[in-house]
Amino acid sequence: MAIEVINIETFLQLRQQLPVFDVRSPGEFEHAHIPNAISLSLFTNEERAIVGTQYKQIGKQRAIKTALPFFAEKMIPMIETVEKVITKNKFPNEIIVHCWRGGMRSAGVAWLLNLYGFKVYTLQGGYKAFRNWALQQFEKHYRLNIIGGYTGSGKTEILKVLQQQGHNVIDLEALAHHKGSAFGGIDMPAQPSQEMFENSLALKLYQHTTLVNNAFPIWLEDESQRIGIVNIPIKLFEQMRQSTVYFFDIPFEERLKHIMEGYGNAPKEKLISAIMRIKKRLGGLATKNAINFLLEEDVSNCFSELLIYYDKLYWKGLHNRNNVLELVKTIPAPNTNAQNNAQLLQEYLNSTEHD
Protein backbone atom coordinates (compact mmCIF):
# COMPACT_ATOMS: atom_id res chain seq x y z
CA MET A 1 0.00 0.00 0.00
CA ALA A 2 1.37 3.39 -0.97
CA ILE A 3 1.53 6.20 1.55
CA GLU A 4 -1.12 8.77 0.60
CA VAL A 5 -0.57 12.49 1.10
CA ILE A 6 -3.85 14.30 1.87
CA ASN A 7 -4.78 17.97 1.97
CA ILE A 8 -6.39 19.71 4.94
CA GLU A 9 -9.95 19.27 3.63
CA THR A 10 -9.56 15.51 3.28
CA PHE A 11 -7.78 15.36 6.63
CA LEU A 12 -10.71 17.09 8.39
CA GLN A 13 -13.04 14.43 7.04
CA LEU A 14 -10.82 11.39 7.71
CA ARG A 15 -9.96 12.44 11.28
CA GLN A 16 -13.59 11.74 12.18
CA GLN A 17 -13.02 8.01 11.59
CA LEU A 18 -9.26 7.44 11.87
CA PRO A 19 -6.67 7.96 14.62
CA VAL A 20 -4.28 10.88 14.14
CA PHE A 21 -0.69 10.43 15.32
CA ASP A 22 1.45 13.50 15.99
CA VAL A 23 5.14 12.62 15.70
CA ARG A 24 6.46 15.98 16.91
CA SER A 25 8.38 16.18 20.18
CA PRO A 26 6.58 16.02 23.56
CA GLY A 27 7.21 19.73 24.11
CA GLU A 28 5.64 20.70 20.80
CA PHE A 29 2.66 18.44 21.48
CA GLU A 30 2.16 19.74 25.01
CA HIS A 31 2.15 23.36 23.85
CA ALA A 32 -0.59 22.72 21.29
CA HIS A 33 -1.80 19.98 18.98
CA ILE A 34 -4.74 18.97 16.85
CA PRO A 35 -7.56 18.02 19.24
CA ASN A 36 -7.81 14.26 19.80
CA ALA A 37 -4.43 13.62 18.16
CA ILE A 38 -2.21 11.04 19.87
CA SER A 39 1.41 11.81 20.67
CA LEU A 40 3.82 9.43 18.91
CA SER A 41 7.05 11.35 19.31
CA LEU A 42 9.88 10.44 16.98
CA PHE A 43 12.38 12.40 19.08
CA THR A 44 12.51 13.50 22.70
CA ASN A 45 12.80 17.25 23.28
CA GLU A 46 16.55 16.88 23.71
CA GLU A 47 16.98 14.71 20.61
CA ARG A 48 14.98 17.15 18.51
CA ALA A 49 17.27 19.99 19.63
CA ILE A 50 20.37 17.99 18.70
CA VAL A 51 19.09 16.96 15.26
CA GLY A 52 17.72 20.42 14.52
CA THR A 53 20.99 22.10 15.40
CA GLN A 54 22.98 19.76 13.16
CA TYR A 55 20.53 20.28 10.30
CA LYS A 56 20.98 24.06 10.49
CA GLN A 57 24.71 24.16 11.18
CA ILE A 58 26.07 21.19 9.20
CA GLY A 59 23.44 19.91 6.81
CA LYS A 60 20.69 17.43 6.07
CA GLN A 61 22.84 14.32 5.66
CA ARG A 62 24.61 14.75 9.00
CA ALA A 63 21.30 15.39 10.73
CA ILE A 64 19.83 12.20 9.26
CA LYS A 65 22.81 10.14 10.40
CA THR A 66 22.43 11.53 13.90
CA ALA A 67 18.67 10.92 13.89
CA LEU A 68 18.74 7.29 12.74
CA PRO A 69 19.90 5.75 16.05
CA PHE A 70 17.20 7.74 17.88
CA PHE A 71 14.64 6.44 15.39
CA ALA A 72 15.88 2.84 15.54
CA GLU A 73 15.32 2.44 19.27
CA LYS A 74 11.73 3.72 18.95
CA MET A 75 10.61 1.64 15.97
CA ILE A 76 9.11 -1.30 17.85
CA PRO A 77 7.49 0.84 20.60
CA MET A 78 5.92 3.04 17.90
CA ILE A 79 4.43 0.06 16.09
CA GLU A 80 3.10 -1.38 19.34
CA THR A 81 1.56 1.95 20.37
CA VAL A 82 -0.32 2.20 17.08
CA GLU A 83 -1.48 -1.42 17.36
CA LYS A 84 -2.83 -0.82 20.86
CA VAL A 85 -4.76 2.28 19.79
CA ILE A 86 -6.31 0.52 16.80
CA THR A 87 -7.20 -2.59 18.78
CA LYS A 88 -8.62 -0.74 21.77
CA ASN A 89 -10.79 1.59 19.69
CA LYS A 90 -11.62 -0.94 16.94
CA PHE A 91 -10.33 1.38 14.22
CA PRO A 92 -9.74 0.09 10.68
CA ASN A 93 -6.11 -0.64 9.84
CA GLU A 94 -5.68 2.95 8.63
CA ILE A 95 -3.96 5.88 10.32
CA ILE A 96 -3.01 9.52 9.79
CA VAL A 97 0.49 10.75 10.63
CA HIS A 98 1.76 14.31 10.75
CA CYS A 99 4.70 16.34 12.00
CA TRP A 100 5.31 20.10 12.04
CA ARG A 101 5.16 20.79 8.29
CA GLY A 102 4.99 17.43 6.56
CA GLY A 103 8.74 16.89 6.43
CA MET A 104 11.19 14.15 7.32
CA ARG A 105 9.75 13.21 10.71
CA SER A 106 6.33 12.23 9.37
CA ALA A 107 7.93 10.72 6.24
CA GLY A 108 10.15 8.45 8.35
CA VAL A 109 7.38 7.28 10.69
CA ALA A 110 4.95 6.86 7.79
CA TRP A 111 7.52 4.67 5.99
CA LEU A 112 7.92 2.45 9.06
CA LEU A 113 4.20 2.03 9.73
CA ASN A 114 3.42 1.50 6.06
CA LEU A 115 6.16 -1.13 5.86
CA TYR A 116 4.61 -2.90 8.85
CA GLY A 117 1.24 -3.08 7.12
CA PHE A 118 -0.83 -0.04 8.07
CA LYS A 119 -2.55 2.09 5.46
CA VAL A 120 -0.93 5.47 6.15
CA TYR A 121 -2.08 8.97 5.27
CA THR A 122 0.17 11.98 5.86
CA LEU A 123 -1.11 15.54 6.17
CA GLN A 124 0.32 17.82 3.50
CA GLY A 125 1.97 20.73 5.28
CA GLY A 126 1.65 18.98 8.67
CA TYR A 127 0.52 20.72 11.83
CA LYS A 128 1.43 24.07 10.27
CA ALA A 129 -1.25 23.53 7.60
CA PHE A 130 -3.82 22.73 10.27
CA ARG A 131 -2.80 25.78 12.29
CA ASN A 132 -3.20 28.07 9.29
CA TRP A 133 -6.61 26.53 8.64
CA ALA A 134 -7.61 27.05 12.29
CA LEU A 135 -6.75 30.75 12.20
CA GLN A 136 -8.75 31.18 9.00
CA GLN A 137 -11.90 29.94 10.77
CA PHE A 138 -11.95 33.10 12.90
CA GLU A 139 -12.11 35.28 9.79
CA LYS A 140 -15.44 33.77 8.71
CA HIS A 141 -18.90 35.10 9.49
CA TYR A 142 -21.14 33.04 11.78
CA ARG A 143 -24.74 33.24 12.89
CA LEU A 144 -24.45 33.65 16.65
CA ASN A 145 -26.94 33.91 19.50
CA ILE A 146 -25.69 34.89 22.94
CA ILE A 147 -26.97 33.79 26.35
CA GLY A 148 -26.55 36.70 28.79
CA GLY A 149 -27.18 37.34 32.45
CA TYR A 150 -25.44 38.64 35.54
CA THR A 151 -22.99 36.39 37.39
CA GLY A 152 -24.77 33.43 38.97
CA SER A 153 -27.58 33.30 36.39
CA GLY A 154 -26.73 29.75 35.32
CA LYS A 155 -25.88 30.68 31.74
CA THR A 156 -23.67 27.63 31.22
CA GLU A 157 -26.44 25.35 32.46
CA ILE A 158 -28.88 26.90 29.97
CA LEU A 159 -26.39 26.18 27.18
CA LYS A 160 -26.21 22.54 28.29
CA VAL A 161 -29.99 22.23 28.09
CA LEU A 162 -29.99 23.80 24.63
CA GLN A 163 -27.33 21.33 23.54
CA GLN A 164 -29.40 18.42 24.85
CA GLN A 165 -32.30 19.75 22.80
CA GLY A 166 -30.21 19.58 19.63
CA HIS A 167 -29.12 23.19 19.24
CA ASN A 168 -25.67 24.16 18.01
CA VAL A 169 -23.78 25.11 21.19
CA ILE A 170 -20.16 25.98 21.89
CA ASP A 171 -19.18 26.13 25.57
CA LEU A 172 -16.26 28.57 25.56
CA GLU A 173 -15.62 28.09 29.27
CA ALA A 174 -15.34 24.32 28.86
CA LEU A 175 -12.80 24.79 26.06
CA ALA A 176 -10.89 27.33 28.20
CA HIS A 177 -11.07 25.18 31.38
CA HIS A 178 -12.18 28.30 33.22
CA LYS A 179 -15.52 29.74 34.37
CA GLY A 180 -14.66 33.33 33.64
CA SER A 181 -14.50 35.13 36.99
CA ALA A 182 -11.58 35.40 39.42
CA PHE A 183 -12.96 32.18 40.93
CA GLY A 184 -13.28 30.48 37.54
CA GLY A 185 -10.15 28.37 37.86
CA ILE A 186 -11.08 26.75 41.18
CA ASP A 187 -11.27 22.95 40.82
CA MET A 188 -10.77 23.20 37.07
CA PRO A 189 -8.06 21.47 34.99
CA ALA A 190 -5.04 23.51 33.94
CA GLN A 191 -5.91 25.93 31.18
CA PRO A 192 -4.73 25.19 27.65
CA SER A 193 -2.30 27.44 25.82
CA GLN A 194 -3.81 30.17 23.66
CA GLU A 195 -2.90 28.15 20.59
CA MET A 196 -4.56 24.99 21.90
CA PHE A 197 -7.70 26.93 22.86
CA GLU A 198 -7.89 28.34 19.33
CA ASN A 199 -7.39 24.89 17.77
CA SER A 200 -10.27 23.43 19.79
CA LEU A 201 -12.52 26.41 19.10
CA ALA A 202 -11.80 26.35 15.37
CA LEU A 203 -12.83 22.69 15.15
CA LYS A 204 -16.03 23.39 17.09
CA LEU A 205 -16.93 26.20 14.68
CA TYR A 206 -16.19 23.89 11.73
CA GLN A 207 -18.28 21.13 13.28
CA HIS A 208 -21.32 23.34 13.74
CA THR A 209 -21.16 25.03 10.35
CA THR A 210 -20.06 22.12 8.18
CA LEU A 211 -20.65 18.77 9.86
CA VAL A 212 -23.85 19.49 11.80
CA ASN A 213 -26.42 21.99 10.54
CA ASN A 214 -25.52 25.40 9.21
CA ALA A 215 -29.21 26.35 9.01
CA PHE A 216 -29.27 27.10 12.74
CA PRO A 217 -27.28 29.66 14.75
CA ILE A 218 -24.54 28.81 17.22
CA TRP A 219 -25.37 29.56 20.86
CA LEU A 220 -22.58 31.01 23.01
CA GLU A 221 -22.35 32.47 26.49
CA ASP A 222 -21.80 36.21 26.88
CA GLU A 223 -18.14 36.43 27.86
CA SER A 224 -15.39 38.96 28.27
CA GLN A 225 -12.77 38.54 25.58
CA ARG A 226 -10.42 37.10 28.21
CA ILE A 227 -11.34 33.83 29.93
CA GLY A 228 -8.70 33.18 32.54
CA ILE A 229 -5.40 33.25 30.63
CA VAL A 230 -6.83 32.71 27.13
CA ASN A 231 -8.54 35.14 24.80
CA ILE A 232 -11.41 34.71 22.37
CA PRO A 233 -9.97 35.53 18.91
CA ILE A 234 -10.73 39.18 18.20
CA LYS A 235 -12.72 38.67 14.98
CA LEU A 236 -15.02 36.14 16.63
CA PHE A 237 -15.35 38.30 19.74
CA GLU A 238 -16.35 41.27 17.59
CA GLN A 239 -19.08 39.12 16.02
CA MET A 240 -20.27 38.12 19.48
CA ARG A 241 -20.53 41.78 20.44
CA GLN A 242 -22.67 42.43 17.38
CA SER A 243 -25.03 39.48 17.97
CA THR A 244 -28.35 39.33 19.79
CA VAL A 245 -28.04 38.79 23.55
CA TYR A 246 -30.85 36.98 25.34
CA PHE A 247 -30.40 38.44 28.81
CA PHE A 248 -31.89 36.48 31.70
CA ASP A 249 -32.93 38.92 34.41
CA ILE A 250 -32.85 36.85 37.59
CA PRO A 251 -33.23 38.23 41.15
CA PHE A 252 -30.05 38.89 43.11
CA GLU A 253 -30.92 36.46 45.93
CA GLU A 254 -31.53 33.61 43.49
CA ARG A 255 -28.20 34.22 41.80
CA LEU A 256 -26.46 34.43 45.17
CA LYS A 257 -27.96 31.06 46.08
CA HIS A 258 -26.64 29.62 42.80
CA ILE A 259 -23.14 30.99 43.45
CA MET A 260 -23.20 29.54 46.96
CA GLU A 261 -24.02 26.11 45.54
CA GLY A 262 -21.11 26.37 43.13
CA TYR A 263 -18.39 27.85 45.31
CA GLY A 264 -19.65 27.78 48.89
CA ASN A 265 -17.62 24.72 49.82
CA ALA A 266 -14.42 25.74 48.04
CA PRO A 267 -11.28 25.92 50.23
CA LYS A 268 -11.05 29.30 51.94
CA GLU A 269 -7.44 29.81 50.90
CA LYS A 270 -8.43 29.50 47.24
CA LEU A 271 -11.30 31.93 47.68
CA ILE A 272 -9.10 34.45 49.48
CA SER A 273 -6.46 34.13 46.77
CA ALA A 274 -9.11 34.81 44.12
CA ILE A 275 -10.38 37.85 46.03
CA MET A 276 -6.87 39.25 46.31
CA ARG A 277 -6.40 38.97 42.54
CA ILE A 278 -9.20 41.49 41.98
CA LYS A 279 -8.33 43.71 44.96
CA LYS A 280 -7.48 46.78 42.85
CA ARG A 281 -10.76 46.64 40.95
CA LEU A 282 -12.84 45.54 43.92
CA GLY A 283 -11.53 48.28 46.17
CA GLY A 284 -9.82 48.09 49.54
CA LEU A 285 -12.96 48.26 51.70
CA ALA A 286 -14.94 45.69 49.72
CA THR A 287 -11.91 43.37 49.66
CA LYS A 288 -11.50 43.69 53.42
CA ASN A 289 -15.20 43.06 54.03
CA ALA A 290 -15.34 40.05 51.72
CA ILE A 291 -12.33 38.38 53.36
CA ASN A 292 -13.56 39.16 56.88
CA PHE A 293 -16.96 37.66 56.10
CA LEU A 294 -15.22 34.57 54.77
CA LEU A 295 -13.01 34.21 57.86
CA GLU A 296 -16.11 34.58 60.04
CA GLU A 297 -17.78 31.69 58.16
CA ASP A 298 -20.30 34.13 56.67
CA VAL A 299 -19.92 32.90 53.11
CA SER A 300 -23.24 34.34 52.01
CA ASN A 301 -22.29 37.94 52.81
CA CYS A 302 -18.85 37.38 51.31
CA PHE A 303 -20.33 36.35 47.97
CA SER A 304 -22.95 39.07 48.22
CA GLU A 305 -20.16 41.64 48.37
CA LEU A 306 -18.49 40.09 45.36
CA LEU A 307 -21.71 39.73 43.39
CA ILE A 308 -22.36 43.46 43.69
CA TYR A 309 -18.95 44.08 42.11
CA TYR A 310 -19.49 41.58 39.30
CA ASP A 311 -22.97 42.95 38.56
CA LYS A 312 -21.50 46.40 37.96
CA LEU A 313 -18.74 44.93 35.82
CA TYR A 314 -21.15 42.87 33.73
CA TRP A 315 -23.59 45.77 33.30
CA LYS A 316 -20.77 47.88 31.91
CA GLY A 317 -19.71 45.17 29.49
CA LEU A 318 -23.29 44.45 28.43
CA HIS A 319 -23.96 48.08 27.55
CA ASN A 320 -20.59 48.66 25.89
CA ARG A 321 -22.11 47.68 22.54
CA ASN A 322 -23.31 49.56 19.52
CA ASN A 323 -27.11 49.38 19.19
CA VAL A 324 -27.40 47.91 22.69
CA LEU A 325 -31.16 48.55 22.82
CA GLU A 326 -31.68 46.53 19.67
CA LEU A 327 -29.27 43.71 20.55
CA VAL A 328 -30.21 42.98 24.17
CA LYS A 329 -33.48 41.09 24.66
CA THR A 330 -34.47 40.80 28.32
CA ILE A 331 -36.14 37.62 29.57
CA PRO A 332 -37.36 37.90 33.19
CA ALA A 333 -36.85 34.63 35.09
CA PRO A 334 -37.77 33.86 38.72
CA ASN A 335 -34.77 31.60 39.43
CA THR A 336 -31.79 29.80 37.91
CA ASN A 337 -33.58 26.58 36.92
CA ALA A 338 -31.94 25.84 33.58
CA GLN A 339 -34.75 23.68 32.18
CA ASN A 340 -37.35 26.33 32.95
CA ASN A 341 -35.17 29.11 31.60
CA ALA A 342 -34.52 27.24 28.36
CA GLN A 343 -38.31 26.94 28.05
CA LEU A 344 -38.70 30.67 28.69
CA LEU A 345 -36.16 31.31 25.95
CA GLN A 346 -38.04 29.11 23.50
CA GLU A 347 -41.32 30.84 24.34
CA TYR A 348 -39.66 34.22 23.79
CA LEU A 349 -38.25 33.09 20.42
CA ASN A 350 -41.66 31.75 19.38
CA SER A 351 -43.38 34.99 20.36
CA THR A 352 -40.98 37.11 18.31
CA GLU A 353 -40.65 34.76 15.36
CA HIS A 354 -42.99 36.74 13.12
CA ASP A 355 -42.21 40.22 14.46
Side-chain angles (χ1 to χ4, degrees), residues 246-250 329-333 341 344-346 348-349:
Y246 296 91
F247 176 84
F248 284 84
D249 188 8
I250 299 173
K329 311 298 182 184
T330 301
I331 302 176
N341 289 342
L344 288 175
L345 174 63
Q346 188 60 58
Y348 181 90
L349 294 173

Side-chain angles (χ1 to χ4, degrees), residues 158-335:
I158 296 172
L159 282 181
K160 289 178 180 178
V161 174
L162 293 177
Q163 188 169 36
Q164 292 167 2
Q165 294 175 347
H167 292 273
N168 291 341
V169 170
I170 296 179
D171 188 341
L172 293 169
E173 294 181 356
L175 295 180
H177 298 172
H178 199 281
K179 297 178 183 177
S181 70
F183 305 90
I186 294 176
D187 295 331
M188 294 290 284
Q191 285 199 261
S193 66
Q194 178 67 30
E195 189 172 315
M196 189 66 213
F197 172 69
E198 291 171 355
N199 290 349
S200 299
L201 179 54
L203 278 175
K204 287 292 184 182
L205 290 168
Y206 172 76
Q207 174 186 346
H208 287 300
T209 55
T210 306
L211 302 179
V212 184
N213 194 337
N214 196 28
F216 296 99
I218 298 172
W219 289 89
L220 300 167
E221 184 173 337
D222 192 19
E223 303 278 3
S224 301
Q225 186 184 3
R226 190 171 184 83
I227 308 175
I229 63 170
V230 301
N231 291 284
I232 300 169
I234 185 63
K235 293 291 186 180
L236 180 63
F237 183 69
E238 288 172 352
Q239 288 190 49
M240 292 173 64
R241 302 293 289 177
Q242 296 163 7
S243 301
T244 302
V245 180
Y246 296 91
F247 176 84
F248 284 84
D249 188 8
I250 299 173
F252 183 93
E253 290 301 323
E254 292 296 322
R255 293 187 289 111
L256 177 60
K257 187 190 305 181
H258 188 71
I259 289 291
M260 290 280 291
E261 291 171 355
Y263 295 108
N265 293 321
K268 285 186 174 57
E269 62 274 12
K270 291 186 177 181
L271 294 175
I272 291 173
S273 176
I275 293 170
M276 292 303 295
R277 283 199 296 274
I278 58 172
K279 179 179 178 180
K280 288 185 178 179
R281 289 174 290 163
L282 187 59
L285 180 59
T287 300
K288 180 181 177 181
N289 289 340
I291 292 176
N292 284 340
F293 281 133
L294 195 59
L295 294 175
E296 293 167 0
E297 305 295 335
D298 190 349
V299 181
S300 179
N301 270 320
C302 170
F303 285 154
S304 180
E305 192 83 39
L306 297 169
L307 207 53
I308 291 170
Y309 159 75
Y310 276 111
D311 282 1
K312 292 177 182 177
L313 190 67
Y314 183 84
W315 188 93
K316 183 179 179 181
L318 180 68
H319 289 80
N320 187 25
R321 285 172 163 85
N322 295 325
N323 304 320
V324 63
L325 296 179
E326 295 178 15
L327 292 178
V328 178
K329 311 298 182 184
T330 301
I331 302 176
N335 54 49

